[in-house]
Amino acid sequence: MTKVLVIADIKQGVLKGSTTELLSKAKAMGAETAVVAIGSNMDSLIPDIVSAGSDTQYIADDPGLELFSAGPTASCIVDAAKQFGANQIWFGFSESGKAVAPRVAAQLEAACATDITDVKIDGDQVEIIRPAIANKVMQRVKINTEQLVAVVRAGAFEATEGITGTENVVKLTPPAADLRAVIKELVSDASGEIDLADADIVISVGRGAKDQAGVDLVKELVTDLKAGFGSSRAMVDGGFMAHNKQVGQTGKIVAPSLYIAIGISGAIQHLAGISGSNVILAINKDSEAPIFNVADYGIVGDLFEVIPILREEIKKIRN
Ligand SMILES: Cc1cc2nc3c(=O)[nH]c(=O)nc-3n(C[C@H](O)[C@H](O)[C@H](O)COP(=O)(O)OP(=O)(O)OC[C@H]3O[C@@H](n4cnc5c(N)ncnc54)[C@H](O)[C@@H]3O)c2cc1C
């Protein structure tokens, strides 16, 4: 039987939805599931980890693990993978996952695949699917090792309603501290804005907004809808938006329920970051803009006229 070990994605003490998505996929494949969760003061999280769909919970709980560090994190995962006898080790998409996955794969002498959108298991045959060349082609990669370490693309798998797990907690021995690299402090974005990776709605601004006044106008809609605020590269290069807001091939990959592209042409490098969105709405004054080829809904018009109307209509509906 396939055994899938999912790495719990925990942010500020909260288990993120991506963990349930990965466990749902594993259960749908008929696999036995386990989660490895790493951090400090983990006891209160265990019920959430169980109900996310895990059959076994490997918990590494130590004050020394409070701040993320790739070396000790990899050691805990390798320990859990060996105890569980995992053939599949899955990370949700995150910067820390991308940093740790190759270390885990190297220690287990396993194959490592990032940015995957699907896994197919047929007996001993394992194949992964992932986009390549800015989403222009899909690669099918056959895995020839006994174990696979995979980083799954945001939004690739859907959470199943009513998924359940079984409590079976195994405490891991905390690893020795990594003396080669000691993390002193994590400085998070103090803007208070919603993280693009967590946002249910993402609104991105493009060159059509022209300048700071245009960005501020789009931001009003972002605030109304409590959305994450993204950007095309043009607005980052223009100095109007921070680099960590860039969506696309060389920026962030987002998978919200609703993606609103405002004044964005739809270059292939931008589209590479939004294909996991459930619904795409584009606002652009050029009816021939390529963004309309991928949008589910489109508004052809000047964003400076459309946004105030949209805000007014949203206010009416809410009232
Ligand atoms: C290697 C590489 C990597 C890249 N990575 C990324 C990436 O990660 N993310 C990314 O976004 N780009 C990336 N790019 C850049 C990408 O090719 C495009 O140049 C960029 O996405 C264009 O941004 P834009 O759509 O905002 O601007 P434009 O292409 O200039 O489009 C502006 C759009 O706004 C519309 N518009 C103008 N005025 C208005 C108005 N008043 N109301 C409504 N609409 C209006 C126009 O009709 C036009 O469609 C990359 C490029 C390369 C070469």
Side-chain angles (χ1 to χ4, degrees), residues 207 232-233 246-247 249-250 263 265 269-270 284 302-303:
R207 193 167 5 224
S232 72
R233 178 161 152 184
Q246 183 177 318
V247 172
Q249 183 188 335
T250 44
S265 58
Q269 295 89 356
H270 188 80
N284 197 305
D302 184 335
L303 67 92

Side-chain angles (χ1 to χ4, degrees), residues 17-205:
S18 59
T19 309
T20 312
E21 289 165 10
L22 267 51
L23 287 164
S24 298
K25 169 72 178 178
K27 290 231 157 176
M29 292 189 332
E32 187 180 336
T33 60
V35 160
V36 53
I38 299 154
S40 173
N41 291 324
M42 303 293 287
D43 282 352
S44 59
L45 264 183
I46 291 174
D48 289 348
I49 295 170
V50 173
S51 57
S54 58
D55 300 323
T56 306
Q57 301 77 36
Y58 293 93
I59 309 290
D61 190 349
D62 190 78
L65 295 170
E66 187 173 345
L67 291 183
F68 166 78
S69 178
T73 302
S75 305
C76 295
I77 296 168
V78 169
D79 184 8
K82 285 183 177 165
Q83 289 195 43
F84 182 50
N87 6 56
Q88 300 279 322
I89 297 129
W90 293 354
F91 291 78
F93 181 83
S94 68
E95 293 306 319
S96 52
K98 280 198 293 185
V100 175
R103 290 172 190 250
V104 172
Q107 288 175 45
L108 293 173
E109 296 188 12
C112 185
T114 55
D115 209 18
I116 72 157
T117 55
D118 205 1
V119 186
K120 291 184 174 153
I121 300 176
D122 182 8
D124 291 343
Q125 302 285 313
V126 178
E127 189 179 274
I128 58 106
I129 314 287
R130 65 176 180 185
I133 322 179
N135 282 5
K136 276 199 212 122
V137 297
M138 297 304 281
Q139 278 182 337
R140 288 171 47 211
V141 182
K142 189 174 163 227
I143 306 299
N144 288 328
T145 52
E146 279 178 22
Q147 289 167 307
L148 166 68
V149 177
V151 183
V152 179
R153 193 176 245 230
F157 303 151
E158 274 186 26
T160 314
E161 289 276 328
I163 188 169
T164 52
T166 321
E167 184 165 334
N168 176 24
V169 175
V170 180
K171 296 269 181 183
L172 299 176
T173 311
D178 185 351
L179 298 176
R180 285 167 299 185
V182 179
I183 308 286
K184 296 279 205 187
E185 188 190 7
L186 282 184
V187 183
S188 58
D189 181 357
S191 65
E193 286 177 8
I194 298 167
D195 192 336
L196 287 180
D198 299 334
D200 194 40
I201 302 176
V202 171
I203 300 178
S204 287
V205 60

Side-chain angles (χ1 to χ4, degrees), residues 167-310:
E167 184 165 334
N168 176 24
V169 175
V170 180
K171 296 269 181 183
L172 299 176
T173 311
D178 185 351
L179 298 176
R180 285 167 299 185
V182 179
I183 308 286
K184 296 279 205 187
E185 188 190 7
L186 282 184
V187 183
S188 58
D189 181 357
S191 65
E193 286 177 8
I194 298 167
D195 192 336
L196 287 180
D198 299 334
D200 194 40
I201 302 176
V202 171
I203 300 178
S204 287
V205 60
R207 193 167 5 224
K210 288 196 191 84
D211 53 20
Q212 194 56 46
V215 172
D216 291 345
L217 179 70
V218 175
K219 193 164 184 194
E220 287 174 7
L221 184 63
V222 168
T223 309
D224 288 353
L225 292 178
K226 294 188 175 55
F229 195 12
S231 174
S232 72
R233 178 161 152 184
M235 294 308 268
V236 172
D237 289 349
F240 297 109
M241 294 290 286
H243 186 260
N244 67 353
K245 301 288 180 193
Q246 183 177 318
V247 172
Q249 183 188 335
T250 44
K252 296 208 165 136
I253 291 173
V254 296
S257 305
L258 173 62
Y259 185 78
I260 308 182
I262 303 184
I264 291 178
S265 58
I268 189 140
Q269 295 89 356
H270 188 80
L271 302 184
I274 68 170
S275 60
S277 309
N278 274 352
V279 173
I280 297 175
L281 163 66
I283 303 172
N284 197 305
K285 69 177 184 185
D286 175 8
S287 63
E288 302 290 318
I291 190 78
F292 289 123
N293 296 334
V294 297
D296 300 280
Y297 298 93
I299 300 176
V300 179
D302 184 335
L303 67 92
F304 293 93
E305 290 167 19
V306 172
I307 292 177
I309 297 170
L310 209 54

